[in-house]
């Protein structure tokens, strides 16, 4: 039905196009439509590049010019017939684009803009100056017309059809490409180059390919242009035309192929209208200024108000009109469309039950029947898939990971755990080829992969998921999974352009659909990833990873942000994947999940392995507990006894009620409340991933949140961070957030930025002295840049900077992270002194043992909720913290 | 003219042009580091100031008040553009490419406005001190060129003092280094973006007023000036002020010598040949090793 509608629309458009010359014959010059036909391929190319690969070229005029001059020179100087000179010029232009694009795309970032802009200026200077070849400013005359056999194509009418056919062909090619294996790869590159690489896509090659294509799409109409006018000069190929082309693409809508036609037609017709109307209103002949202003304003308006251009609005309007028409037609036949809609809704529902997870392990990976599936995994006798030997990684002078060795066998689930900053993510990035090792060896089935780029590591059989799922938001769930099939599909760029790989595409669609069904996400097949709920994103990403049929599957915190049911389902899916023979390497904070799922667990602390064993052994290991809870966790109550708790008196200074917050669709906090009084130190303790940092960011105004934040009797929720500071609530953020290149003194002066008014400067000078007295180390380093400080000094600087704003409430986010015990003591002493001065201090920490010694009261945060609250001394005595961090002894909630 | 004379002459004019590019380059780096916006329209603020000042001078204003008014106009235009277009887009989380396209739109609108108000004919501004050229060693140097050097040098010094000695300057740097940290010390990062835009426009305006007496001012002179400043800034890495000045002066010298000893018609291409060479020099080692180590990727 829909296809037939589309075909009918296409036929109608073709007929209108064929007949248009007769319709407009006396009112408009056909040359305007020739111009549109010439520009459409150029715009389509630039839109493909920007809208799908995320790269902007400001040099398309140069490629248009190379095509024009190339064909003109070949046909006039060498007598090559235009039918050959045009493709030759296009090919040469493609080579030129390759020579520029290949190296440029190795640089991350937006260097293409700069390089193409430069190329454009160089080309126009050369066209003007190399008189012997190009004829200089006066150009090349007597370019022969395009001829096919004895038929010469001359005049507007002939070129109307030729350029129109070229424009239509270029749009069709682009439409094919966008929906192909290549188009999916581009979308992924655009979303995340890292994610693309882990699917075996080489981002720089993918971008180079589409850049070369865009150059050739510019060169072809350029060459036609020379033969159409029988003359070329340098003027049309200036930088301004490159700007025009980009503008037309943006106005039409860069991500949409038909946008190229819409934007081009609109811009050309608008310019024509301005040229005929403006002189009538303002008199005079020059209209360039009005064109420039009008297009400037139009471009700005579209970019700001409708970043996807005008095409989506036009399409929606057309669909709306068509639907209206169909409804009227339907009403005349006596059927009402609401019933249609209801029927189709029922149809969708009937699909859903079928999409529930299928039982049986082998189906998981054995999607199209050809897989070499190993049944009943866990066979310890098989050779290891992954071997990691003595791996170390340094960042500058810091060692993130060192002395790590382990192996993972087929069918085994291997978990790496450890407190914050333990080096888990670094290890993960090393194994997946995103980072390179400083020392040691990583091998997959005996092949060293520590010197390989990520996309080659992926090709060897390593797939991964990310902490925050990285799916291409414009592609549907199914297309995202098809991107996971990238390495198993063969269609190249040419095949993709021509829409040749139909059979392969159909099989890929089916396999992706089956995989999604198996994971229970079949209902989401045709939903764009950008609209999926968070739990589904995780499943789709898992399906994408499995689609590559990996030997080794890396899962980076797969359970975070999932509900209990979703966790249980994920648990089953991962277990089933392992049972089918995949080796799984897992990093996860949820201890119950990890200890229930893993066959072996490696515990990292400060980048070094401290324990290795089965989940049971890990659960009993005192060293692991100490790593999580801080030094002698068991003896915490006796050694340095918490000070006698002063009962909080009077109203709280800061009171937080029912705060809910998250990132995008991930909900992290589900209604958290706490309060702190003047002269009180309150700790919020909790394991990794409990939502501690999110809570601090939400309270400090860095993250939008629901709920109530009251300070000194005043509501502060929804105030931005910079206003919170001025009012007296200062956050010392996780990882300190220093201004690396700026000096200690600069930090402290800026710390007082929020304070204004009379005497503020003198006060700040006095405060500076006082703060430096509190942190004598900083006085010595006053002129040094922050990055030269030690970890402890950096933490002191972060606290000192916050104190310069004269806060009444100080929020400290993981102030002890990564610090030596002596420095931990110093920081906590400082906190005690601040309490004496009447500050209200909130410390968010994982190191419970140390923190409990320094605070009055404590809250325990878990899974985004406060699960316990009480006096610090009491909490330190109880053994309940243990279960909190190491998981309940009962196994896993997901085990069922 | 002896070879020594010629070399010296080319050297002086290279450094002069380089100083002009440096003012624009500094403006670009200021805006880019604070807001991550590549301001394609920066040269148009030079045009705006030069043309406005030229009109005011013909109405009997003194040169300095006229230039001050022109600079103020440029700053106001920049602030307005930031407020109505850049700021809403940044709020929505627009990517750097979208932000750059907005400044392209700004360039079209500004250049069109300049053409509508002043037409296509060239305008001149009086030099800062009239008089015959002066002899410096072997070279004969236009007085205005000496002024260009002096004023640029003064501005670069003032800018350095501003960034290193004043709270407002430190706050701008903080926004560039770490916006989250800046917010946490109470710095309104978005308002600082506006300040950076306006200050960048003032730097461009000064360059426009300085160069107008030498090359005359036309409605479309801004784009090429801004692009040259951009090339100098890219040579300097786009974030470093001293390297930007060095990059721009190097560019001015290359242009001057290439035009003097090779073919003068290719002058405008020199900057971009240098630019592409710099980019290739950075990229080719990556190609040779065949591996791109994506350190940034780990931080994504």
């Amino acid at each position: 039905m829909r296809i037939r509608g589309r075909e009918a629309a296409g036929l109608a458009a073709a007929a209108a196009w064929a007949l248009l010359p007769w319709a407009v014959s006396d009112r408009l010059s056909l040359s305007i439509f020739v111009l549109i036909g010439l520009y459409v391929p150029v715009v389509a190319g630039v839109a493909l590049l920007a809208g799908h690969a995320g790269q902007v070229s400001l040099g398309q005029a140069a490629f248009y010019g190379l095509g024009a001059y190339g064909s003109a020179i070949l046909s006039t100087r060498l007598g090559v017939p235009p039918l050959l000179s045009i493709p030759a010029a296009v090919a040469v232009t493609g080579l030129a684009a390759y020579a520029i694009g290949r190296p440029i795309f190795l640089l991350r970032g937006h260097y293409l803009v700069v390089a193409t802009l430069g190329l454009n200026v160089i080309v126009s200077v050369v066209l003007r100056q190399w008189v012997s070849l190009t004829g200089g400013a006066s150009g090349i005359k007597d370019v022969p017309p395009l001829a096919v056999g004895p038929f010469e194509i001359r005049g507007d009418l002939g070129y109307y059809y030729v350029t129109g056919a070229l424009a239509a062909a270029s749009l069709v090619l682009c439409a094919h490409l966008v929906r192909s294996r290549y188009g999916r790869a581009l979308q992924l590159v655009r979303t995340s180059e890292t994610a693309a690489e882990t699917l075996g896509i080489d981002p720089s090659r993918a971008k180079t390919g589409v850049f070369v294509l865009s150059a050739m799409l510019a060169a072809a109409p350029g060459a036609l242009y020379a033969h159409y006018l029988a003359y070329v000069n340098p003027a049309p190929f200036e930088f301004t035309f490159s700007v025009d082309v980009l503008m037309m693409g943006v106005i039409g809508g860069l991500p949409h192929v038909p946008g190229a036609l819409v934007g081009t037609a609109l811009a050309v017709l608008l310019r024509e209208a301005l040229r005929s109307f403006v002189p009538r209103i303002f008199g005079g002949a020059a209209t360039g200024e009005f064109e420039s202003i009008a297009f400037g304003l139009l471009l700005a308006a579209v970019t700001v108000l409708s970043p996807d251009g005008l095409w989506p609005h036009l399409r929606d309007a057309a669909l709306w009109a068509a639907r209206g028409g169909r409804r009227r037609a339907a009403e005349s036949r006596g059927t009402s469309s609401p019933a249609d809609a209801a029927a189709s809704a029922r149809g969708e529902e009937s699909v859903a039950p079928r999409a529930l997870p299928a039982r049986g392990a082998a189906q998981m990976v054995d999607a199209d029947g050809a897989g070499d599936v190993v049944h009943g995994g866990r066979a310890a006798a098989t050779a290891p898939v992954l071997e990691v030997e003595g791996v170390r990684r340094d960042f500058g002078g810091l060692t993130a990971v060192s002395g790590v060795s382990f192996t993972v066998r087929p069918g085994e689930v291997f978990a790496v755990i450890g407190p914050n900053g333990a080096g888990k993510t670094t290890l993960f990035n090393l194994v997946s080829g995103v980072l390179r090792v400083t020392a040691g060896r990583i091998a997959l089935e005996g092949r060293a992969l520590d010197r390989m780029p990520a996309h080659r590591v992926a090709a060897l059989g390593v797939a991964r998921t990310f902490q925050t799922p990285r799916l291409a938001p414009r592609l549907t769930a199914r297309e995202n999974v098809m991107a996971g099939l990238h390495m198993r599909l063969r269609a190249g760029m040419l095949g993709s352009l021509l829409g040749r790989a139909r059979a392969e595409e159909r099989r890929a669609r089916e396999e992706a659909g089956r995989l999604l069904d198996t994971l229970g996400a079949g209902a989401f097949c045709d939903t764009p990833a950008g609209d999926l709920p968070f739990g589904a994103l995780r499943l789709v990403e898992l399906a994408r990873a499995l689609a590559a049929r990996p030997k080794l599957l890396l899962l980076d915190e797969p359970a975070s942000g999932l509900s209990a049911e979703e966790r249980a389902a994920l648990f089953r899916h991962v277990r089933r994947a392992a049972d089918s023979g995949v080796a799984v390497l897992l990093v996860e904070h949820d201890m119950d999940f990890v200890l229930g799922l893993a066959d072996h667990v490696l515990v990292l602390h400060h980048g070094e392995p401290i324990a290795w064993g089965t989940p049971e052994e890990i659960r009993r290991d005192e060293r692991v507990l100490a790593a999580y809870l801080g030094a002698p966790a068991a003896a915490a109550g006796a050694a340095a006894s918490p000070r006698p708790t002063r009962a909080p008196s009077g109203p709280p200074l800061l009171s937080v009620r029912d705060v809910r917050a998250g990132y995008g669709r991930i909900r992290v906090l589900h209604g958290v409340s706490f309060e702190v009084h003047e002269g009180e130190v309150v700790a919020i303790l909790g394991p990794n991933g409990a939502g501690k940092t999110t809570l601090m960011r939400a309270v400090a105004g860095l993250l939008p949140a629901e709920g109530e934040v009251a300070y000194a009797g005043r509501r502060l929720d929804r105030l931005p961070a910079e206003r919170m500071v001025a009012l007296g609530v200062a956050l010392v953020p996780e990882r300190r957030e220093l201004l690396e290149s700026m000096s200690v003194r600069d930090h402290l002066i800026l710390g007082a930025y929020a304070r204004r008014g009379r005497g503020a400067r003198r006060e700040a000078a006095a405060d500076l002295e006082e703060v430096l007295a509190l942190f004598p180390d900083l006085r010595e380093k006053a002129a040094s840049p922050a990055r030269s400080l030690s970890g402890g000094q950096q933490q002191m600087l972060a606290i000192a900077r916050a104190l310069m704003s004269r806060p009444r409430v100080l929020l400290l986010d993981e102030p002890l992270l990564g610090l030596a015990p002596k420095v931990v003591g110093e920081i906590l002493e400082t906190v005690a002194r601040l309490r004496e001065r009447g500050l209200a201090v909130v410390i968010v920490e994982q190191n419970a043992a140390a923190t409990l010694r320094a605070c009055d009261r404590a809250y325990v945060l878990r899974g985004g909720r406060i699960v316990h609250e009480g006096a610090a001394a009491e909490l330190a005595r109880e053994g309940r913290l243990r279960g909190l961090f190491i998981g309940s002894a009962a196994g896993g909630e997901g085990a069922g | 003219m002896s070879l020594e004379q010629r070399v010296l002459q080319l050297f002086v004019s290279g450094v002069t042009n380089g100083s002009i590019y440096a003012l624009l380059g500094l403006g670009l780096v200021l805006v880019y580091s604070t807001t991550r916006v590549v301001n394609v329209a920066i040269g148009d603020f030079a045009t705006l100031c030069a043309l406005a000042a030229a009109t005011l001078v013909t109405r009997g204003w003194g040169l300095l008040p006229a230039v001050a008014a022109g600079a103020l106009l440029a700053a106001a235009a920049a602030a307005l553009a930031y407020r109505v277009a850049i700021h809403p887009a940044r709020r929505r989380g627009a990517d750097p490419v979208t932000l750059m396209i907005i400044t392209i739109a700004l360039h079209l609108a500004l250049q069109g406005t300049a053409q509508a108000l002043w037409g296509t004919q060239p305008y001149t501004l009086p030099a800062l001190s009239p008089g015959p050229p002066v002899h410096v060693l072997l070279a004969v140097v236009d007085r205005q060129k000496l002024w260009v050097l002096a004023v640029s040098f003064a501005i670069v010094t003032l800018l350095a003092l501003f960034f290193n000695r004043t709270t407002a300057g430190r706050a701008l740097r903080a926004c560039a280094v770490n916006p989250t940290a800046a917010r946490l010390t109470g710095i309104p990062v978005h308002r600082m973006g506006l300040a950076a835009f306006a200050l960048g426009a003032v730097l461009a305006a000064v360059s426009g007023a300085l160069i107008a007496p030498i090359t005359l001012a036309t409605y479309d002179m801004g784009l090429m000036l801004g692009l040259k400043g951009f090339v100098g800034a890219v040579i300097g890495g786009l974030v470093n002020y001293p390297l930007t000045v060095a990059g721009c002066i190097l560019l001015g010298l290359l242009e001057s010598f290439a035009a003097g000893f090779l073919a003068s018609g290719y002058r405008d291409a020199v900057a971009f040949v240098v630019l592409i060479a710099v980019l290739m020099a950075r990229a080719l080692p990556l190609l040779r090793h065949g591996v791109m180590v994506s350190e940034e990727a780990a931080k994504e």
Side-chain angles (χ1 to χ4, degrees):
Chain A
M1 177 74 198
R2 174 134 185 239
I3 302 292
R4 204 179 301 157
R6 196 176 272 183
E7 277 170 1
L11 278 176
W17 169 68
L19 296 174
L20 182 105
W22 286 274
V24 300
S25 55
D26 25 323
R27 267 161 294 168
L28 268 173
S29 162
L30 261 192
S31 62
I32 291 168
F33 295 96
V34 175
L35 221 51
I36 294 176
L38 287 170
Y39 290 172
V40 164
V42 192
V43 177
V46 94
L48 200 62
L49 189 62
H52 293 268
Q55 291 289 325
V56 170
S57 162
L58 277 176
Q60 295 310 98
F63 299 126
Y64 190 62
L66 285 177
Y69 269 89
S71 192
I73 290 169
L74 283 175
S75 57
T76 54
R77 303 284 157 92
L78 302 176
V80 179
L83 209 52
L84 291 178
S85 71
I86 292 175
V90 172
V92 169
T93 309
L95 282 177
Y98 182 82
I100 292 193
R102 185 75 188 104
I104 285 295
F105 286 125
L106 291 171
L107 301 170
R108 284 209 176 201
H110 297 283
Y111 290 101
L112 186 72
V113 185
V114 188
T116 48
L117 180 161
L119 178 76
N120 203 154
V121 178
I122 293 169
V123 165
S124 36
V125 168
V126 169
L127 291 184
R128 278 177 201 285
Q129 298 300 325
W130 194 351
V131 181
S132 60
L133 185 71
T134 66
S138 49
I140 301 173
K141 294 184 192 62
D142 302 323
V143 181
L146 180 60
V148 184
F151 300 107
E152 280 192 352
I153 299 167
R154 285 181 187 275
D156 286 345
L157 189 62
Y159 282 93
Y160 170 80
Y161 288 115
V162 173
T163 58
L166 178 68
S170 65
L171 290 177
V172 169
L173 292 183
C174 288
H176 280 154
L177 189 75
V178 165
R179 300 171 57 86
S180 71
R181 168 177 182 260
Y182 202 93
R184 291 189 295 267
L186 288 178
Q187 285 287 342
L188 248 110
V189 168
R190 198 195 169 172
T191 308
S192 159
E193 299 205 356
T194 309
E197 286 195 80
T198 60
L199 298 176
I201 299 162
D202 180 345
S204 68
R205 276 187 189 280
K207 287 187 285 187
T208 306
V210 73
F211 177 59
V212 169
L213 176 67
S214 82
M216 293 169 76
L217 281 173
L224 266 183
Y225 173 82
H227 300 283
Y228 164 57
L229 284 187
Y231 165 71
V232 277
N233 72 338
F237 313 116
E238 299 280 353
F239 175 65
T240 47
F241 180 60
S242 292
V243 172
D244 276 1
V245 168
L246 181 62
M247 177 192 76
M248 293 179 206
V250 172
I251 290 175
L254 294 174
H256 308 282
V257 172
L261 177 62
V262 171
T264 310
L266 205 74
V268 172
L269 294 175
L270 179 62
R271 179 163 294 161
E272 210 50 41
L274 284 172
R275 280 185 189 162
S276 62
F277 287 120
V278 168
R280 278 191 230 159
I281 301 166
F282 295 94
T287 59
E289 60 267 43
F290 294 104
E291 281 170 32
S292 184
I293 297 173
F295 283 120
L297 296 180
L298 178 61
L299 180 59
V302 169
T303 320
V304 176
L305 301 177
S306 175
D308 275 358
L310 299 180
W311 164 250
H313 303 295
L314 282 176
R315 181 192 54 196
D316 293 348
L319 282 177
W320 182 81
R323 211 174 293 140
R326 210 176 301 151
R327 184 175 304 140
R328 278 190 295 280
E331 273 161 11
S332 68
R333 283 202 311 272
T335 2
S336 70
S337 58
D340 279 344
S344 70
R346 274 199 302 279
E348 268 173 44
E349 273 165 31
S350 71
V351 174
R354 195 155 49 86
L356 285 172
R359 301 286 166 192
Q363 266 174 331
M364 187 71 162
V365 180
D366 190 16
D368 66 5
D372 47 345
V373 179
V374 183
H375 288 275
R378 300 221 201 193
T382 44
V385 176
L386 177 71
E387 293 164 273
V388 175
E389 277 176 41
V391 157
R392 198 178 92 221
R393 169 69 204 202
D394 299 335
F395 289 106
L398 290 170
T399 302
V401 161
S402 89
V404 177
S405 302
F406 61 90
T407 57
V408 188
R409 289 169 195 284
E412 182 184 7
V413 178
F414 190 96
V416 179
I417 65 172
N420 249 350
K424 305 184 294 289
T425 304
T426 305
L427 183 62
F428 230 67
N429 284 331
L430 291 171
V431 172
S432 61
V434 174
L435 286 177
R436 308 260 295 272
V437 296
T438 308
R441 177 170 170 275
I442 300 175
L444 189 80
E445 294 188 325
R447 287 187 65 180
L449 46 75
D450 39 79
R451 294 269 134 202
M452 280 184 191
H455 62 94
R456 294 198 36 218
V457 171
L460 287 183
V462 179
R464 73 172 284 185
T465 66
F466 294 87
Q467 272 181 33
T468 20
R470 295 185 186 175
L471 298 170
R474 288 182 191 279
L475 297 183
T476 64
R478 186 203 298 268
E479 286 167 329
N480 269 291
V481 178
M482 287 165 80
L485 293 162
H486 186 85
M487 287 178 292
R488 292 172 45 208
L489 303 181
R490 289 286 146 257
M493 188 168 188
L494 195 61
S496 296
L497 276 172
L498 299 175
R500 292 285 290 281
R502 292 242 171 86
E504 181 183 88
E505 280 287 292
R506 200 182 54 242
R507 265 183 286 126
R509 290 182 63 78
E510 283 165 7
E511 178 165 353
R514 270 202 302 275
L515 257 171
L516 283 168
D517 277 346
T518 324
L519 295 188
F524 297 117
C525 256
D526 299 314
T527 314
D531 300 337
L532 287 176
F534 184 74
L537 287 180
R538 283 242 186 270
L539 290 178
V540 174
E541 207 188 32
L542 180 63
R544 181 177 76 185
L546 289 172
R549 290 210 189 144
K551 294 169 183 140
L552 174 66
L553 175 63
L554 307 176
L555 301 175
D556 195 354
E557 296 191 24
S560 77
L562 295 186
S563 70
E565 303 85 69
E566 288 169 332
R567 245 169 245 232
L570 179 78
F571 189 99
R572 285 196 306 275
H573 298 318
V574 175
R575 188 69 258 173
R576 206 188 304 155
D579 288 345
S580 72
V582 180
V584 179
L585 179 63
L586 172 79
V587 166
E588 178 55 58
H589 288 319
D590 181 334
M591 284 301 157
D592 287 334
F593 186 88
V594 168
L595 298 182
L597 182 59
D599 299 311
H600 288 102
V601 181
L602 173 73
V603 187
L604 291 184
H605 188 39
H606 292 311
E608 289 176 20
I610 58 165
W612 183 88
T614 64
E616 268 321 303
E617 290 162 359
I618 294 301
R619 205 173 265 135
R620 283 195 300 269
D621 197 318
E622 284 302 320
R623 286 168 304 175
V624 177
L625 194 63
Y628 273 94
L629 292 182
S641 59
R643 57 188 61 240
T645 310
R646 283 172 291 190
S649 57
L653 184 57
L654 179 77
S655 143
V656 172
R657 289 272 158 271
D658 201 27
V659 162
R660 293 154 192 278
Y663 304 90
R665 277 158 287 166
I666 319 173
R667 304 315 290 170
V668 178
L669 301 178
H670 310 278
V672 174
S673 306
F674 71 89
E675 56 186 42
V676 60
H677 297 74
E678 229 166 68
E680 189 186 30
V681 178
V682 164
I684 298 178
L685 306 170
N688 268 348
K692 303 190 298 295
T693 294
T694 310
L695 179 61
M696 287 299 101
R697 289 170 60 86
V699 171
L702 281 177
L703 194 71
E706 296 161 38
E708 195 181 309
V709 177
Y711 162 73
R714 207 180 136 182
R715 287 284 292 271
L716 295 191
D717 35 302
R718 289 174 217 289
L719 275 190
E722 52 268 28
R723 296 270 301 118
M724 298 287 281
V725 186
L727 290 169
V729 180
L731 169 64
V732 179
E734 191 195 19
R735 283 191 268 261
R736 299 153 202 156
E737 300 280 1
L738 296 179
L739 306 159
E740 306 228 321
S741 56
M742 297 178 71
S743 73
V744 168
R745 181 177 294 278
D746 286 339
H747 280 81
L748 298 179
I749 290 171
L750 284 175
Y753 186 90
R755 281 168 28 216
R756 298 269 170 72
R758 277 204 309 162
R761 184 180 280 259
R762 206 173 320 121
E763 268 176 37
D767 287 358
L768 188 66
E769 275 310 304
E770 207 175 320
V771 164
L772 288 177
L774 199 57
F775 300 105
D777 276 22
L778 295 183
R779 189 190 294 280
E780 288 166 34
K781 295 268 191 174
S784 319
R787 72 164 94 80
S788 72
L789 302 182
S790 72
Q793 288 168 336
Q794 289 192 358
Q795 190 60 54
M796 289 174 192
L797 178 56
I799 297 175
R801 176 180 63 185
L803 290 177
M804 287 298 293
S805 68
R806 288 206 173 176
R808 291 178 66 199
V809 176
L810 188 64
L811 309 171
L812 302 173
D813 190 352
E814 302 250 11
L816 311 180
L817 179 61
L819 299 185
K822 178 169 167 289
V823 187
V824 166
E826 282 173 35
I827 300 275
L828 291 177
E829 253 170 55
T830 310
V831 169
R833 251 181 282 163
L834 295 175
R835 166 169 52 189
E836 298 306 320
R837 293 190 191 179
L839 250 74
V841 183
V842 179
I843 308 180
V844 149
E845 254 302 335
Q846 185 174 300
N847 185 342
T851 314
L852 281 175
R853 268 174 272 156
C855 68
D856 301 307
R857 287 187 303 121
Y859 297 83
V860 177
L861 186 67
R862 191 170 189 214
R865 291 186 174 84
I866 298 284
V867 294
H868 187 75
E869 117 174 53
E874 217 175 284
L875 211 62
R877 275 192 299 272
E878 291 172 18
R880 62 164 64 229
L881 283 172
R882 183 191 183 100
L884 188 72
F885 287 90
I886 295 303
S888 53
E893 60 194 76
Chain B
M1 203 181 339
S2 74
L3 183 66
E4 290 86 356
Q5 263 181 320
R6 212 165 144 221
V7 166
L8 204 60
Q9 206 83 34
L10 291 172
F11 182 82
V12 171
S13 76
V15 175
T16 312
N17 284 340
S19 315
I20 295 282
Y21 302 155
L23 291 179
L24 290 152
L26 288 174
L28 276 164
V29 171
L30 172 65
V31 170
Y32 179 77
S33 61
T34 321
T35 62
R36 300 290 143 192
V37 177
V38 174
N39 186 3
V40 177
I42 193 150
D44 294 290
F45 296 113
T47 316
L48 198 61
C49 174
L51 293 178
T55 302
L56 291 175
V57 167
T58 57
R59 298 260 167 93
W61 286 46
L63 177 64
L64 292 179
V67 169
L72 212 61
L73 179 68
L80 181 72
Y82 182 85
R83 192 68 198 79
V84 301
I86 306 276
H87 181 72
R90 285 186 79 201
R91 264 267 147 97
R92 225 188 32 228
D95 55 15
V97 167
T98 308
L99 294 171
M100 194 193 69
I101 289 174
I102 295 178
T103 70
I104 291 178
L106 179 62
H107 155 70
L108 291 174
L110 281 175
Q111 182 169 312
T113 309
Q115 194 187 347
L117 294 176
W118 285 281
T120 51
Q121 65 271 39
Y123 290 79
T124 186
L125 265 181
L128 272 164
S129 60
V134 288
H135 290 263
V136 181
L137 300 178
L138 292 168
V140 185
V141 183
D142 207 19
R143 282 167 192 254
Q144 181 68 12
K145 290 191 175 172
L146 294 178
W147 276 112
V148 169
L149 292 176
V151 173
S152 304
F153 183 76
I155 284 184
V156 169
T157 313
L158 279 177
L159 215 54
L161 288 174
F162 171 72
F163 281 126
N164 291 310
R165 297 288 166 84
T166 68
T167 305
R170 287 188 178 103
L172 270 174
R173 274 169 68 203
C175 293
V177 177
N178 183 339
T180 305
R183 289 188 65 193
L184 286 174
T185 55
I187 299 168
V189 173
H190 276 292
R191 217 177 304 155
M192 285 290 157
L194 188 138
F197 244 71
L199 190 57
V202 169
L203 288 173
V206 173
S207 79
L210 284 172
I211 202 167
I214 303 175
T215 63
L216 302 184
T218 52
Y219 77 99
D220 61 350
M221 73 172 189
L223 183 63
M224 200 40 101
L225 274 181
L227 292 183
K228 301 273 177 72
F230 183 52
V231 173
V234 169
I235 294 175
L238 209 56
V239 282
N240 183 311
Y241 294 99
L243 281 181
T244 298
V245 174
C248 288
I249 292 191
L250 178 71
L251 177 63
L253 285 172
L254 282 170
E255 270 193 358
S256 179
F257 281 101
F261 286 109
L262 305 169
S264 62
Y266 286 96
R267 180 193 180 94
D268 274 344
V270 172
F272 299 98
V273 171
V274 171
L275 173 73
I276 290 182
V278 167
L279 291 179
M280 294 293 161
R282 279 191 211 156
L284 286 174
L286 296 175
L287 189 63
R288 202 168 56 238
H289 294 300
V291 172
M292 186 174 59
V293 182
S294 34
E295 301 280 323
E296 300 154 49
K299 295 182 199 148
E300 260 180 31

